[in-house]
Amino acid sequence: MTAPVLITPRLRLRGHAAADLDATAALWADERVVGSITGRPSSREETWARLLRYAGLWAVLGFGYWLVEDRESNAFVGEVGVADFKRDLEPPLGDALEAGWVIHPGAQGRGFATEAMLAALAWVDRHVDARRAVCMISPDNAASFGVAHKCGFVEYARTTYKGEPTVLLERRPA
């Protein structure tokens, strides 16, 4: 399976392609982006592996991440989706899908993350048999908490992941 194309009033969500490497590599190398996510910029090689992982999610699980574009300009906006990364985490995520989003700094603050995630979650609710979705957010990432709450996520635990404090939020299907 490949990622279906989702259209919102302002955005197009589509599967990743090899031609997206430059845009995604720039995103994941930006310290403003990764500070609250991975903690360090990704190399081009690491971003290529991420792109391949995104394609593999769709092929193996039937769900995954979308690349997000502005419909008016075709500009790269970011990435959103759900996955099962089998994280070594306490409490364990179990069979929950893990939702995530990352938006290019030039596109932040315009509601794109919420718009894209609502479309992605609506697709997941219709096409994936999942009891819940979770997301992991750094305690200091106020913008991501805003997106999470607008998408129906509520906090259920605080933990550490790879030595960093992490807040876990969950959402039940609509």
Side-chain angles (χ1 to χ4, degrees), residues 20-163:
D20 299 318
L21 179 58
D22 288 342
T24 57
L27 175 76
W28 288 101
D30 191 317
E31 291 186 12
R32 298 170 295 176
V33 172
V34 300
S36 294
I37 302 172
T38 63
R40 65 168 184 79
S42 296
S43 69
R44 187 173 178 82
E45 177 183 349
E46 290 167 326
T47 301
W48 177 246
R50 180 186 303 276
L51 249 164
L52 296 175
R53 179 175 62 201
Y54 288 160
L57 287 168
W58 287 100
V60 173
L61 301 176
F63 54 83
Y65 271 69
W66 286 269
L67 182 130
V68 181
E69 297 173 319
D70 182 310
R71 286 180 54 200
E72 185 176 311
S73 67
N74 292 323
F76 173 76
V77 170
E79 300 170 330
V80 301
V82 297
D84 180 356
F85 293 128
K86 305 280 186 218
R87 295 199 194 269
D88 186 15
L89 187 66
E90 197 56 49
L93 301 182
D95 62 355
L97 299 179
E98 184 181 335
W101 53 89
V102 58
I103 300 298
H104 186 279
Q108 291 176 1
R110 297 168 48 194
F112 287 151
T114 301
E115 185 175 330
M117 275 310 298
L118 287 172
L121 290 167
W123 184 90
V124 168
D125 287 348
R126 287 190 308 275
H127 299 282
V128 179
D129 183 25
R131 289 184 286 164
R132 69 185 182 127
V134 300
C135 61
M136 300 171 44
I137 302 176
S138 172
D140 62 349
N141 192 338
S144 279
F145 280 108
V147 172
H149 293 301
K150 290 174 189 170
C151 291
F153 287 90
V154 295
E155 182 178 335
Y156 74 94
R158 290 189 177 239
T159 188
T160 57
Y161 180 66
K162 295 187 177 181

